[in-house]
Amino acid sequence: MIARHAKLLSRLSLPIFALIVIIIAFFATAASYILIRVQNDHTLNMANQSMKFVYRNIWYQFETMNNVAGFILSNPSIEGLLDRRYEEAYDAVGDYFALQTNLENLSLLSLLNDTGSRSTAQKSYAISIALEPGSGLYGIATDHFDPTPGIYKYEDLQDQIWYRSLKSGTRQTEWWGQRTGQSNSAMIYSARIKTSIKDGRSVGVVIVGADTGSIRSVFENAQLEKGYHLLLDENNRVIYSERYGFLESVGELPFIRELEGAKGSQVAKVDGEQHRVMFDTFTNGWKLLTVVPESHFTQYTFAISAIGAATAIAALLVAGVILRRIVVRVTVPITRLVSAMHRPEVLEFKEPLPEQNSGIYEVDELGQKFSSILVTLHALIEKSFVEEMERRQLQLELLHAQINPHFLYNTLDLINCRAIMAGDRESSHIVRSLANVFRHSLNRGEAWISLRDEVNQVEAYLHIQQMMMDNLQVDIQVPDELMSASVVHLSLQPLVENAIKHGFAGQVSNCCIGITAGRTNKGLVLRVEDNGQGCDPVRMNRLLRDHPGIASGGKAGGVRSGYGTLNVHRRIQLHCGEAYGLRYVAADTGTCVEIEMPFRIAERIPGQEELANV
């Protein structure tokens, strides 16, 4: 019992537990994966938001510098001061100081970098104009250029790369960074050419500068937990970064060289570690980069995986305990039931099965129903035993009943001998045929007979009928190779008798009966045909189907059948199966009945007597 219980328990619990492990592992892995992706995407989104914040504020700084330069270029008052002609140099002094005052006032404008910053950083612009000879103020302008608010001559700028590019007309605005002044301050500048509105001649260059401190405040308000920002000019020199110095060239760094396009994100190795490099380009060609180590995005991966694994293990432990309790409650009653079924006392119906009280309806119902099955089986066994005893009693009675037919057969045989001795050959033939009919009918009580003996019996019966009916013609065509087949006893004679009694009723001439045999895929087919009154084959087949068994002497359709077609049909089905039996076939004239039985060779009964041939 213990071994069987262990086997049933393991065969149930192990697959179910394995399935639970797979399900819990799948959902734990999926949940951890989703949480990790969400966390990583959140961290990446925070880095993107920081970069966008820096980008917007620096872009605002650049746009403000462009707007200041645009104001100077389009202001009518400043246009008049720059475009006016003077006969003497001292006549321009007043306008010079007026323009100087305007530039100083514009330089005092402040840029509010970030309304949400910890401290509001305000930095003044450095606005200056480098005049060319086309301006009336050129003669009194300062000779040497100094990138501080003021009015200067352009000669010192001719060797500057940005100036030559600006004068070539490649771009309207040039941007660059440089250190200026005694404090060596880091500054960014933009320059645009000033032309006369009247005649389009070149008047000078408007230069707007801003201290990088304003940019610093933007970077400080968007600090990254890990990583840094980079603002690079077109030559990949650092304008501002938390990591690199002002105007430091970083163009040779691998992750800078690998940048493709104006905007994007890629993974590159920085200082031996994988980093996420996000970048965007301003309209002036400068790039903003945000460099964050990949480990920063996956910093919570291990923690989330550990929590997911711990949760999965706890779920497995709880599921395992619950599963074992459920499986034990199911398997133990079943095992007890199986063990009780193997006890000899139960098998011999001396003891009933033990009642189950597991608390599970299906298990308890299984025990009760199986106990009911055993009781029913016991009753069926007893009933089968009683029926078998009755069947043997009937066989014994049948053997006793054969005494009278044997006495009748022997008496007919004696009459046959006396008729032969008296020289009455016709009476001898009639008596011998009748004796053969009785002899074949007895068949030693066997249910099966050879087709040869069955045909001989029908021939003897028809011989007697031909003595009584001068107009009866018989045609029997059975191949010799089928004569040894075994058929159910008394299959043909009732059909022939039925044809004579019913088919030829009232017919006084040209009465024909044909008997044939053949093989089919299913077995042996015997056919009995007559040219009598005929019948409805559909109705007769329905009668065979709806009345499978009619006792001897019973009636079918108002016709007394005796050993008629219904009894022949039923006996064949009892011995051969429901697939075999009789069937009526449509015929042009008369009636056609087919008998179908499985084909098998008849075994000769030892000691069987040969028919008398005297």
Side-chain angles (χ1 to χ4, degrees), residues 181-205:
Q182 295 180 352
S183 62
N184 201 26
S185 299
M187 302 285 290
I188 58 175
Y189 291 94
S190 69
R192 296 175 67 179
I193 295 178
K194 168 61 179 170
T195 58
S196 174
I197 298 177
K198 294 180 179 180
D199 52 18
R201 70 181 183 278
S202 179
V203 176
V205 177

Side-chain angles (χ1 to χ4, degrees), residues 347-375:
L347 296 178
E348 296 174 2
F349 304 103
K350 295 180 180 179
E351 292 183 5
L353 285 175
E355 294 185 1
Q356 300 288 351
N357 189 18
S358 65
I360 301 176
Y361 170 78
E362 289 78 4
V363 176
D364 295 341
E365 189 70 11
L366 176 64
Q368 295 176 6
K369 294 301 181 183
F370 198 84
S371 179
S372 300
I373 291 174
L374 286 181
V375 173

